[in-house]
Amino acid sequence: MSDMFSSLIFGFGVALQPINLLLAVIGAFVGTLIGVLPGIGPVSGIALLIPLIIGLHPASAMIMLTAVYYGTMYGGSTTSILLNVPGEASSVATTLDGYQMSLQGRGGPALAIAAIGSFIAGTLSVVAMMIFSLPLANWALAFGPPENFALMVLGLSSVSTLAGQDLVKALISTVCGLMLATVGTDLVTGINRYTLGIPQFLDGIDLVTVAVGLFAVSEVMLAVNMITVQPRLIPLQRIWLTLKDFLESFWAIIRGTVVGFYIGILPAAGATIASFLSYGLERRLARDPSTFGKGDIRGVAAPESANNAAAVGNMIPMLSLGIPGSSTTAVMMGALLILNVIPGPLLFTQHPDVVWGLIASMYVSNAVLLLLNLPLVGLFVQILKTPDRYLYPLIIAICVIGVYTVSRSRVDLMLMILLGALGYYMRLNDYPLGPAILGLVLGDRMEQAMRQSLIMSSGSPAIFVTRPLSAVVLALAVLSLAAPVFLRALSSRRRVS
Amino acid sequence: MNSDRPAAIVLATVAALYIWEARSFRGVTVSDVVGPSAYPWLLGGTLTVLAIVLFARTTGAVAGVGFWGRHGRPAAFTGSLFAYCMALEPVGFIASTFMYLAFSHRWLGEQRWLRAILIAAAATVVLWLFFDRVLEVGLPAGAIGWPR
């Protein structure tokens, strides 16, 4: 325990360096802006910032990206409460009571409880993260290539199961992401695979291009089809909440934190599921559940706390095991890989400044966001008033700059457009986008682990099932895929009978 | 219209081409017993199975409005984005971005050309100053070159 505290003090030494503090403030501001604006979500927002962090120290880069991630969570709640338009999927639950509070002239207290709940949840979750991450990383040190392969299969299968309504389509999305990762020069033999004779593809398909194309461009394509009227903005009367409001929300915040953190650790079951679960829990525990959906402050406090706690929980599998639990952490992991830092159990010993600097920066980001968000809420509301006809072309221009900056090649821009069209099709036809990004980020390492395992066994795939830990993890992966199919069959049989 | 069946056919074709290309990957080393084609075979095979499942479970098509009725605006948007990206290097960031923004503002609902042009000009200058001068990311100058 004393080791952990000395490491945390070391982390604060890193996070509080003037440059890192400045990056955290910039990241928190930019993140909130990303969360507020439609079109750019956390995935494409963080991806667009990757070109700008190249050259930074990995610890500084991660501090900035983490602040952006946190900021998007805060920003998403502003649009949910004031406009009934969730900036992110994880803020959808907040609209249910948040917007109703706005209609009743209580938009200010709703924003305040969202910010305070997020601050409390974020801070408590970071403490839990410190407790869980290191033992998990130490345990994972014993993993060999077969266990790592099995773990990645489990990560991808859980993501596929939980990411969308349709398991087959989610699996197709995952496999397509894995296939994209095979483009480029094979590191073992040096031969080129699927490069189509295009030199830009020799280093593989760029993560920034895929994330921006699939997420941002496709979302704008979807939005230009729907530009009609501006949503009705409810003016703010007062920002601060009363002591009664806070006391009423306190246990909802604590419960939201616990639910959010544990859900966040599970692969794919990220902030969105956490926010809905905690909202449902509060409603079930309430003496009078009929107040929910009509402007109950607990209906804002619980999901907002849960989605921030889940954002912290999401970091644990990425930092300790090298397996990202969501699309956003997958992009953050991609950024670390670009900076030659390999997430996983060795990260704690090889790059303690990155891990502990990041953990300490989460406390700092929480404080910065609390100080930044409430006074600046007026500014964000003004930005929100920008008509879509100006906003969307501007977002696209920023996407073009971001992708062009990575490789200075027209090929990547064309690929971005192609992936944008693909993402548009996928969104309209219930193919989840997250598994594709996860597949792209994990693909290389998964192939490496598979080939190393087969070298160990002289080509026999039995190695994956004869090693106990690998067999158990693979069984869990099969179970995660089979369980929803089984449950659905069971419920339809019950309905028939 | 339900597009699952055409999508399944496209996916199966992609999987077949992917596996076909993997046949040419040779380069087994002493240590690497499976070579560079085993993993692509595994992925291509999995996609084939998923495409077959997608095709088999889908029942008849659902009638809907025509393609251009539903996707005309996104298609036009994609076309304008394509033109912008093609013009970026030869024409330069400032001119191409200004034209793209001005036309997009107008197309997406701005009633007056003058306002569309003024907002596009202001946004272009802010983007250029921020990315090229402050962050020094190096945007393409094009044939026109940079303002001094």
Side-chain angles (χ1 to χ4, degrees), chain A residues 77-95:
Chain A
S77 61
T78 307
T79 50
S80 296
I81 292 166
L82 297 181
L83 287 165
N84 204 22
V85 176
E88 313 303 334
S90 57
S91 303
V92 175
T94 309
T95 57

Side-chain angles (χ1 to χ4, degrees), chain A residues 146-179:
Chain A
E147 287 76 23
N148 280 328
F149 176 79
L151 208 60
M152 283 184 253
V153 172
L154 175 63
L156 289 171
S157 61
S158 326
V159 166
S160 306
T161 308
L162 294 167
Q165 299 264 319
D166 190 326
L167 181 62
V168 174
K169 288 182 176 177
L171 285 171
I172 287 171
S173 179
T174 307
V175 174
C176 288
L178 290 170
M179 283 164 76

Side-chain angles (χ1 to χ4, degrees), chain A residues 52 166 168-169 171-172 175-176 178-179 182 186 188-189 191-194 217 220-221 224-225 227 388-390 392-394 396-398 400-401 404-405 408-410 413-414 416-417 421 424-425 428-429 431 443 446-447 450-451 454-455 458-459, chain B residues 3-4 7 11 14 18 21-22 25-27 31-36 39-40 42-43 46-47 50 53-54 57 70-71 73-74 77-78 81-82 84-86 88-90 93 100-101 104-105 108-110 115 119 123 127 131 135 137-140:
Chain A
L52 304 180
D166 190 326
V168 174
K169 288 182 176 177
L171 285 171
I172 287 171
V175 174
C176 288
L178 290 170
M179 283 164 76
T182 59
D186 176 40
V188 181
T189 56
I191 65 158
N192 299 333
R193 298 188 300 183
Y194 306 109
V217 176
V220 175
M221 283 175 77
V224 294
N225 232 2
I227 292 176
D388 290 348
R389 59 183 179 273
Y390 302 135
Y392 287 127
L394 199 62
I396 287 298
I398 293 170
V400 168
I401 296 170
Y404 183 81
T405 313
R408 312 200 165 278
S409 121
R410 211 184 277 176
L413 291 175
M414 295 302 122
M416 176 193 78
I417 297 172
Y424 172 75
Y425 173 84
L428 285 180
N429 291 282
Y431 290 85
M446 195 163 155
E447 181 177 11
M450 187 189 100
R451 282 160 82 172
L454 293 172
I455 290 167
S458 307
Chain B
S3 59
D4 282 357
L11 286 167
V14 168
Y18 187 80
E21 178 73 6
F25 303 152
R26 294 181 210 288
S31 59
D32 185 20
V33 285
V34 292
Y39 184 68
L42 184 70
L43 296 180
T46 311
L47 188 63
L50 290 169
V53 173
L54 186 65
R57 69 170 199 185
R70 284 174 294 134
H71 308 295
R73 279 171 77 93
F77 164 83
T78 309
L81 178 56
F82 178 77
Y84 172 38
C85 291
M86 291 302 281
L88 193 66
E89 280 180 333
F93 175 78
Y100 172 72
L101 290 180
S104 299
H105 293 336
L108 290 174
E110 175 52 59
R115 196 186 288 172
I119 289 171
L127 286 175
F131 284 100
L135 297 176
V137 298
L139 295 171

Side-chain angles (χ1 to χ4, degrees), chain A residues 265-487:
Chain A
I265 297 175
L266 301 175
T272 309
I273 295 176
S275 59
F276 275 106
L277 274 181
S278 63
Y279 183 86
L281 181 71
E282 284 312 309
R283 202 177 161 162
R284 204 165 299 158
L285 292 176
R287 263 189 220 145
D288 179 14
S290 67
T291 56
F292 279 77
K294 292 174 186 160
D296 193 312
I297 196 161
R298 290 168 296 176
V300 178
E304 281 302 309
S305 310
N307 70 28
N308 261 57
V312 180
N314 258 201
M315 296 276 190
I316 293 178
M318 181 190 85
L319 292 175
S320 306
L321 306 173
I323 310 288
S326 66
S327 333
T328 316
T329 45
V331 175
M332 289 176 82
M333 184 169 144
L336 275 177
L337 292 171
I338 289 169
L339 296 166
N340 285 325
V341 176
I342 299 168
L346 290 173
L347 190 68
F348 284 80
T349 47
Q350 287 176 347
H351 296 281
D353 53 337
V354 174
V355 178
W356 291 103
L358 188 148
I359 290 173
S361 80
M362 288 177 168
Y363 288 105
V364 177
S365 300
N366 269 317
V368 167
L369 280 161
L370 190 67
L371 295 174
L372 197 78
N373 267 34
L374 290 179
L376 289 185
V377 73
L379 173 73
F380 293 125
V381 166
Q382 287 305 315
I383 292 167
L384 266 172
K385 282 182 179 168
T386 311
D388 290 348
R389 59 183 179 273
Y390 302 135
L391 206 56
Y392 287 127
L394 199 62
I395 287 170
I396 287 298
I398 293 170
C399 291
V400 168
I401 296 170
V403 171
Y404 183 81
T405 313
V406 178
S407 62
R408 312 200 165 278
S409 121
R410 211 184 277 176
V411 173
D412 274 324
L413 291 175
M414 295 302 122
L415 189 64
M416 176 193 78
I417 297 172
L418 198 70
L419 288 164
L422 182 68
Y424 172 75
Y425 173 84
M426 289 171 77
R427 282 176 191 272
L428 285 180
N429 291 282
D430 301 326
Y431 290 85
L433 302 175
I437 286 287
L438 238 66
L440 178 68
V441 172
L442 286 182
D444 266 352
R445 294 173 61 228
M446 195 163 155
E447 181 177 11
Q448 232 172 33
M450 187 189 100
R451 282 160 82 172
Q452 282 170 350
S453 306
L454 293 172
I455 290 167
M456 285 166 67
S457 66
S458 307
S460 166
I463 191 169
F464 296 112
V465 287
T466 49
R467 287 171 65 120
L469 191 57
S470 162
V472 169
V473 177
L474 281 178
L476 286 174
V478 173
L479 202 68
S480 76
L481 289 175
V485 180
F486 176 74
L487 289 174

